[in-house]
Amino acid sequence: MSLPPRPIPANIPVGGLVKRVTSWRRNGESGVGWSIVVAIILGVMLIPVVTIVVLALSPTVNIWSHLVTTVLPQSIQSTLLLMLGAGALTFAMGTATAWLVTMYRFPGRSIVDRLLVIPLAVPTYIVAYCYVE
């Protein structure tokens, strides 16, 4: 099924690359080749995940009974407590700072507004590494 062609707005300057992409999308020239390439890339990316799952679910020694009786209950309890604490703290701090920046006008407000989104741009493991170091 082919999509109907979309008109290019006259008020937007269109370069050569944008024209090609628009033409490519309009004509549906993706083809089977691109689908195969994407499937191969996806398969290569999934190899480590599948390997870990297979190794975890088929150990040479039956270790799951030992983990369930000794390590797993404490790990689950610690994880749930950490999730609850981090969620509550994030909710309280995020709501308070968002409310302050939205409701009040103060010097440096635009800087604070921009700084509040920085944690969204930095991966969590990098932040954790910085805290530990």
Side-chain angles (χ1 to χ4, degrees), residues 9 29 40 53 60-61 64 97 110:
E29 296 176 8
I40 290 171
V53 169
T60 56
V61 179
W64 283 106
T97 54
S110 62

Side-chain angles (χ1 to χ4, degrees), residues 89 93 118-119 122-133:
L89 189 63
M93 289 176 54
I118 287 180
V122 180
T124 311
Y125 65 93
I126 292 178
V127 173
Y129 182 76
C130 291
Y131 285 147
V132 169
E133 284 299 314

Side-chain angles (χ1 to χ4, degrees), residues 7 21 28 31 39 47 56-57 86-87 93 103 105 114:
V21 170
I47 288 173
L57 296 178
M93 289 176 54
M103 299 304 288
R105 303 290 181 242
R114 300 293 183 255

Side-chain angles (χ1 to χ4, degrees), residues 67-103:
L67 288 176
V68 167
T69 57
T70 58
V71 178
L72 212 51
Q74 180 62 35
S75 296
I76 291 174
Q77 182 182 9
S78 299
T79 301
L80 292 176
L81 184 63
L82 180 65
M83 286 172 46
L84 181 68
L89 189 63
T90 301
F91 178 76
M93 289 176 54
T95 303
T97 54
W99 184 78
L100 287 172
V101 168
T102 303
M103 299 304 288

